[in-house]
Amino acid sequence: MADEGADIIAVDIAGKLPPCVPYDSATPADLAGTVQLVEDTGQKILAAVVDVGRAGHHRGQRRCLGTPDVGRHHFRGFRDVMDINVTGAWNTVMAGAQKIIDGGRDGSIILISSAAGIKMQPFMVHYTASKRAATGMARAFASELGRHSIRVNSVRPGPVNTLMGSGDMIGSLGRAIDIYPQLAQMITPFLPTWAAEPENIADAVCWLASEESKNVTAAAISIDQGMTQY
Ligand SMILES: NC(=O)c1ccc[n+]([C@@H]2O[C@H](COP(=O)([O-])OP(=O)(O)OC[C@H]3O[C@@H](n4cnc5c(N)ncnc54)[C@H](O)[C@@H]3O)[C@@H](O)[C@H]2O)c1
């Protein structure tokens, strides 16, 4: 977005994630690296270490509850996932929406859902529920904020080549398919590319942030190589 000329407010926990997250947590150095990348484009950035799940009024307890029967997969903490993905998205929109209204220059809010938010991710009931919630939240906010000319949409990436796609994530998916081979089809893309690059998602986010999408609101845009259409 900075490449496209946007100034950025960036928040990240930049610290240890709950133990149920099976890949390396982002560090303050990672956040500093993001600041540098934005500044290198000549744009401004205001960056802060924030736990989005704890901001505002909804301070959820951060516990990994675990689901021993189906909990072999990815994240084990239902409440952690809800705190970050649902309450965190709510907190972030609530922190910004009034300021966008007060600015009086219209606006565009984009929530990051997932292919799991339209289809499902087996053995990740919490993640699936949270990403379905993100899409629902975007639609509900769109209906409220439209009168202020603020658009609200969600994007639904399939697999993306980030830290989340590293660690034990791919292995866990493979083990799930080993247990239930009939699940294999569910992640079959139409396109030859299995995973997108982060920039591919950013392109869609930039389009939604731009005037070029000025009549698009309450939409859920899939960027998943077609795999949710199977
Ligand atoms: N990578 C994928 O395959 C994929 C697919 C579909 C959707 N998504 C979604 O895209 C978004 C970005 O995913 P990613 O792959 O870049 O993941 P990531 O884990 O690489 O990055 C997530 C970032 O969020 C930060 N974070 C975690 N908890 C936080 C908290 N409580 N407060 C503030 N910051 C916090 C982390 O420190 C990290 O920098 C997520 O919403 C994810 O669900 C990812």
Side-chain angles (χ1 to χ4, degrees):
M1 297 187 87
D3 271 338
E4 299 278 338
D7 292 330
I8 307 287
I9 299 173
V11 296
D12 199 284
I13 197 165
K16 189 83 191 107
L17 294 174
C20 44
V21 178
Y23 55 91
D24 289 344
S25 304
T27 64
D30 290 324
L31 186 56
T34 300
V35 168
Q36 190 61 55
L37 285 170
V38 172
E39 287 177 348
D40 287 349
T41 70
Q43 297 303 129
K44 286 184 272 184
I45 178 167
L46 182 65
V49 173
V50 171
D51 179 347
V52 295
R54 288 177 176 240
H57 295 105
H58 299 267
R59 289 171 180 267
Q61 291 174 355
R62 300 176 61 71
R63 289 190 286 150
C64 281
L65 296 180
T67 46
D69 45 348
V70 293
R72 301 162 61 86
H73 214 337
H74 306 180
F75 301 104
R76 293 176 190 217
F78 189 93
R79 187 163 293 180
D80 283 323
V81 172
M82 289 297 163
D83 279 354
I84 297 169
N85 288 1
V86 182
T87 309
W90 158 267
N91 282 335
T92 307
V93 174
M94 294 304 284
Q98 188 60 50
K99 290 188 167 40
I100 301 173
I101 294 170
D102 294 344
R105 294 187 299 145
D106 308 346
S108 175
I109 296 171
I110 301 113
L111 301 186
I112 310 296
S113 175
S114 166
I118 181 173
K119 218 167 179 182
M120 96 305 288
Q121 198 124 344
F123 300 95
M124 286 179 67
V125 174
H126 32 32
Y127 187 77
T128 301
S130 76
K131 290 304 183 180
R132 192 80 184 187
T135 286
M137 206 185 308
R139 291 172 59 83
F141 272 127
S143 72
E144 286 189 34
L145 294 172
R147 67 202 156 110
H148 301 291
S149 299
I150 297 173
R151 301 182 289 112
V152 190
N153 295 286
S154 62
V155 294
R156 298 197 285 217
V160 186
N161 197 6
T162 67
L163 274 183
M164 188 183 271
S166 70
D168 195 36
M169 300 294 278
I170 304 294
S172 299
L173 207 49
R175 285 195 293 279
I177 291 169
D178 286 345
I179 298 168
Y180 292 108
Q182 56 271 55
L183 295 178
Q185 279 195 348
M186 123 220 135
I187 49 168
T188 304
F190 290 161
L191 296 175
T193 314
W194 194 74
E197 295 303 317
E199 292 76 8
N200 305 142
I201 313 305
D203 283 341
V205 170
C206 284
W207 175 72
L208 284 170
S210 78
E211 282 292 297
E212 288 176 20
S213 61
K214 68 178 181 183
N215 292 316
V216 180
T217 194
I221 312 283
S222 290
I223 314 160
D224 62 5
Q225 299 75 252
M227 63 179 58
T228 51
Q229 308 306 319
Y230 204 96

